[in-house]
Amino acid sequence: FPTRRSSDLGVEKYDKGDKKGALQEWNKAIEANPTFTKAYANRAIVHAELGDKKGAAEDYKTVESILKTDYLNALKQSRKFQR
């Protein structure tokens, strides 16, 4: 559960105004689970709020890529059952 714990701590820190601390927690969550889209999306918001448009764009692209891959994998699996 280190991914979930870091993600939750990131939200707590963000809610208290500690954006840099939130980033650190979401970085830990991503390190523990590189496909954890929620952490990327949260991190993108903070990057944007801190003026790091490039970092925000990269995180949003990563979310899109992960979700697209998950969707395509699910589609492949569902087609196996339609035959």
Side-chain angles (χ1 to χ4, degrees), residues 22-79:
L23 282 176
Q24 290 173 346
E25 293 301 329
W26 290 322
N27 288 338
K28 289 178 193 175
I30 290 166
E31 186 176 310
N33 180 358
T35 61
F36 190 43
T37 56
K38 183 177 178 180
Y40 283 104
N42 288 340
R43 195 172 75 171
I45 291 167
V46 175
H47 279 310
E49 289 178 355
L50 294 175
D52 180 8
K53 292 180 183 180
K54 182 180 178 193
E58 288 173 2
D59 280 347
Y60 282 128
K61 285 179 186 175
T62 300
V63 170
E64 180 182 7
S65 176
I66 292 167
L67 292 177
K68 192 180 294 182
T69 299
D70 288 348
Y71 171 77
L72 292 174
N73 287 336
L75 188 60
K76 277 187 206 175
Q77 292 300 319
S78 72
R79 287 188 177 152

